[in-house]
Amino acid sequence: MEVVVNGHPDLNMKILERGKGMKQQMMSKVMVAAAALSLMLAPTVWAENIKIGAILAVTGPMSFLGGPEARTLEMLVEETNAKGGINGRPIELIIKDSAGSPEKAVSFAKQLIEEDKVLAIVGPSSSGETMSIKNIAEAGKTPLLSCAAAEVIVDPVASYVFKTPQKDSDAVKMIFQEMKRLGFANIAVLVDNTGFGKAGKEQLEKIAPEFGLKIVENEVYDKAASDLSAVVAKIKANKDVQAVVNWSVVPAQAIVAKNIRQMAWDVPLFQSHGFGNIKFVEVAGAAAEGIIFPAGRLLIASDLPAAHPQKELLVRYTRSYEEKYKENVSTFGGHAYDAFVIIEAAVKVGGNDREQVRAAIERLQNLPGTAGVFSFSTQDHNGLTIDAFQMMTVKDGKFVAYNGK
Amino acid sequence: MTTELFIQYLFAGITYGSIYAIVAIGFNIIYNTTGIINFAQGEFVMLGGMIAISLLPFMPLPLAIGLSVLMTMVIGALIEIVFIRWLHSPSVLRMIIITIGISILTREAAVHIWGDNIRALPYFVGDEITTIGVLGARISPQVLWVVGVCGVMVFVLHLFFKTTSVGREMRACAANRTAAILCGINPRNMVTFSFVLSAGIGALAGCVMSPITYTQYDVGTGLAIKGFTVAILGGLGNSGGAVAAGLMLGIIEAFSVSVVPLAFQDAIAIAILLGILFVRPHGIFGSGEAARLKAF
């Protein structure tokens, strides 16, 4: 009983702070009454749950993203609740499987905001879905922490919308820097038709001239494509092409690599940060060797120096995830990890209140995550810089840091 | 267009085309004995690949593939016995809804058993980067496996329907069910057998194509749509037509890449389908007179 009595005035004060208008005062009275009632009903276990919603592509063509994200969140919530939750309050996680469909994401977003009244939403997994619910989160005044990469999610900034993966434009710059260093001038661009692919295509086309690169072949393929040999043949026939960039989050990015090598074409192949799942390497097999791509340091956690600010967190995440689920970590699960860490840090400061949490996220500085070290501001809702990326390559079926040739 | 590029497109087209043709033949076999389209045909292809991949750690590749084909055939038979066999003269619509249900059920079962990961069988010869030269173009040896196996399957099926007594009985059921019953043929067994057969060829196709594409629990849907397009193009129930239409569609898709953006590739297939349905609703190779006599 003592615990409860201690908890009660806290709640009262918070409600009084919020309740300024008449209607809100009425509301707070009702809420106090309701709280008092719940105290009577369950006096020993009472605590206001922190409700976190998640809209993730757990199944469907983008299950590569949503699957690890959902598992990561479940693991983190379990761990945090075992330690007594955040500020002594348990977390309630509600995961909705959008199967990668923007239509489903829209209805789940409305449901989570209006019916479940969650504190914040993690996800969606893909850029297309995120863009379709950006306005809903904004109108519903609910913080949205997208696990999708496209830059348009946070540019222009919407006050309630954040994203945890690194910037597309920084990934493009990393790739182009390396191409320039290797002396390439004419490149081919292949993208998938997901929101990620489309956003990547825009950035690639926009930034290429800055690095003196010319895109001589430019193709978009379907996200469910299972063979791309015809289009690879077309690109190969253009003798000007010195390197290929493939920008994709779907399994077809492994197919591209296979189709290129099967045509005995040893062109340098660059991929986006969407390649950061070891399963793509397994499917592409020998064809994945030598692929160059930018990614967060999670994939090479054990090779990092001990003093690196992300080292401890990356190693811990990798160990606990791999022990629990018997599968390799991927950068995608990491994006959900970061979203959770950000919410956790913000709730510690702002409490269980949407507006306070939103403001608290904007004030977070130097928070280590899997994608990089986050420092948010009112203008920057991504919080990462180009340093969050590291160029990597595939060697003997494993991701290793790329140090040039 | 250089000769090399031409050959490269041609091979890409023949590869897609033979896979479409095999799925379409699976549709046709069941259509011929039951008069319905089995929309779970794509799932047989997925099951073939998935089961073979699961068996591979315990046995050599040819055995894994053989056993996977057999197991898929058993699954095909079970599906027919459990869901279709006991229905008394069901309507076409009811049967179609049932097969769509089976397709969803199979897919969901697969995601629970195998998860959502993409998997692939190893290459039958060499690995992902092995390549052979054909008339100046470079292709993976697996492409020859796909084309070869599909070709042999079509040939064997043709012999089966022409020469064996079971094959003749199945054709008899297709031609006239009542007359077949009068001749002492049990059409229910023939229906079960048609499910077994189309599950088997679907599974084998799923195994040979797995290395160059990949196998995931939901690959069946896309294949079923393309296979259905091809089956309609070739004239429903006409297996020779399915082969011709499959190759035609595959080759058109491959060559379309050179003139229109890749993004339109699927639109082309659907545009052709619509065009054909307007001009020749019974398919390019189907007979208009025969089509008028059919219920669906």
Side-chain angles (χ1 to χ4, degrees), chain A residues 179 184 186-188 190 232 235-236 238-245 256-257 259-261 263-270 287 289-292 405:
Chain A
M179 286 184 158
F184 299 143
N186 295 313
I187 59 164
L190 269 170
V232 169
I235 295 174
K236 188 191 174 194
N238 187 338
K239 299 291 172 210
D240 290 339
V241 174
Q242 292 168 298
V244 177
V245 184
V256 171
N259 288 156
I260 287 179
R261 301 303 177 219
M263 274 177 213
W265 192 22
D266 57 357
V267 69
L269 175 60
F270 291 78
E289 294 292 307
I291 287 175
I292 306 165
K405 284 196 178 153

Side-chain angles (χ1 to χ4, degrees), chain B residues 58-81:
Chain B
F58 311 104
M59 57 189 78
L61 184 64
L63 199 61
I65 292 176
L67 206 56
S68 155
V69 171
L70 280 179
M71 286 168 73
T72 312
M73 287 166 106
V74 172
I75 294 172
L78 285 176
I79 284 177
E80 200 279 333
I81 291 165

Side-chain angles (χ1 to χ4, degrees), chain A residues 58-60 63-64 219-221 225-227 229-231 233-234 236-237 251 255 258 261-264 279 283-287, chain B residues 4-5 8-9 12 16 116-118 123 127-131 138-140 211-214 216-218 254 257 261-263 266:
Chain A
V58 185
T59 60
S63 57
F64 264 83
E219 294 282 352
V220 181
Y221 54 82
S226 59
D227 188 291
S229 48
V231 76
K234 182 186 178 189
K236 188 191 174 194
I255 308 268
K258 286 203 274 186
R261 301 303 177 219
Q262 280 161 4
M263 274 177 213
K279 281 168 195 156
V283 172
Chain B
E4 184 199 329
L5 187 58
Q8 204 83 60
Y9 280 146
Y16 309 146
D116 49 24
N117 293 338
I118 53 169
Y123 282 68
D127 62 13
E128 291 82 359
I129 51 171
T130 311
T131 149
R138 308 292 299 192
I139 54 167
S140 165
I212 39 173
T213 62
Y214 56 85
Q216 195 180 10
Y217 74 96
D218 63 354
V257 169
L262 178 65
D266 285 343

Side-chain angles (χ1 to χ4, degrees), chain A residues 59-347:
Chain A
T59 60
M62 275 172 290
S63 57
F64 264 83
L65 314 176
E69 287 162 0
R71 290 190 280 276
T72 299
L73 283 183
E74 280 164 2
M75 179 183 86
L76 286 172
V77 168
E78 202 175 289
E79 281 175 9
T80 313
N81 282 342
K83 281 185 279 179
I86 311 176
N87 298 345
R89 286 171 178 171
I91 305 163
E92 186 183 337
L93 177 67
I94 306 168
I95 296 182
K96 303 280 183 191
D97 177 11
S98 69
S101 139
E103 294 79 18
K104 283 191 188 167
V106 166
S107 64
F108 286 143
K110 288 180 181 158
Q111 200 184 336
L112 287 172
I113 294 172
E114 289 159 20
E115 289 173 28
D116 296 317
K117 305 210 186 305
V118 295
L119 173 68
I121 298 175
V122 177
S125 309
S126 74
S127 303
E129 293 167 88
T130 308
M131 289 313 289
S132 61
I133 68 165
K134 189 175 173 180
N135 289 336
I136 299 174
E138 197 65 9
K141 298 192 184 306
T142 306
L144 180 76
L145 287 100
S146 174
C147 298
E151 203 137 344
V152 283
I153 296 169
V154 290
D155 182 21
V157 167
S159 46
Y160 287 87
V161 182
F162 302 83
K163 82 178 182 92
T164 56
Q166 303 89 343
K167 289 191 189 79
D168 284 355
S169 57
D170 285 345
V172 171
K173 284 175 195 157
M174 290 292 281
I175 292 171
F176 284 170
Q177 267 172 18
E178 186 55 26
M179 286 184 158
K180 200 176 168 190
R181 199 184 68 80
L182 293 169
F184 299 143
N186 295 313
I187 59 164
V189 167
L190 269 170
V191 304
D192 70 25
N193 67 349
T194 63
F196 179 74
K198 285 180 205 152
K201 186 168 184 265
E202 274 171 29
Q203 296 290 345
L204 286 162
E205 285 166 356
K206 197 173 91 185
I207 299 171
E210 290 173 25
F211 288 81
L213 294 166
K214 198 168 159 228
I215 298 173
V216 291
E217 290 286 339
N218 202 338
E219 294 282 352
V220 181
Y221 54 82
D222 188 76
K223 60 177 177 283
S226 59
D227 188 291
L228 294 163
S229 48
V231 76
V232 169
K234 182 186 178 189
I235 295 174
K236 188 191 174 194
N238 187 338
K239 299 291 172 210
D240 290 339
V241 174
Q242 292 168 298
V244 177
V245 184
N246 177 48
W247 197 276
S248 163
V249 275
V250 292
Q253 54 187 326
I255 308 268
V256 171
K258 286 203 274 186
N259 288 156
I260 287 179
R261 301 303 177 219
Q262 280 161 4
M263 274 177 213
W265 192 22
D266 57 357
V267 69
L269 175 60
F270 291 78
Q271 303 255 27
S272 71
H273 43 322
F275 190 64
N277 188 326
I278 199 73
K279 281 168 195 156
F280 292 129
V281 175
E282 284 163 12
V283 172
E289 294 292 307
I291 287 175
I292 306 165
F293 70 106
R297 293 182 174 78
L298 174 63
L299 302 176
I300 49 165
S302 52
D303 301 341
L304 285 177
H308 196 278
Q310 289 173 267
K311 170 91 180 183
E312 193 266 340
L313 172 134
L314 293 178
V315 170
R316 179 156 43 86
Y317 171 46
T318 308
R319 197 188 304 126
S320 47
Y321 185 89
E322 290 181 355
E323 258 172 34
K324 188 169 168 68
Y325 296 112
K326 311 283 176 246
E327 67 171 18
N328 290 309
V329 282
S330 67
T331 52
F332 310 116
H335 298 324
Y337 189 100
D338 294 346
F340 184 85
V341 169
I342 291 166
I343 294 175
E344 189 183 24
V347 170

Side-chain angles (χ1 to χ4, degrees), chain A residues 21-33:
Chain A
M22 266 296 280
K23 202 174 162 192
Q24 275 172 306
Q25 272 184 9
M26 281 275 288
M27 277 281 287
S28 55
K29 276 178 192 165
V30 174
M31 277 175 73
V32 171

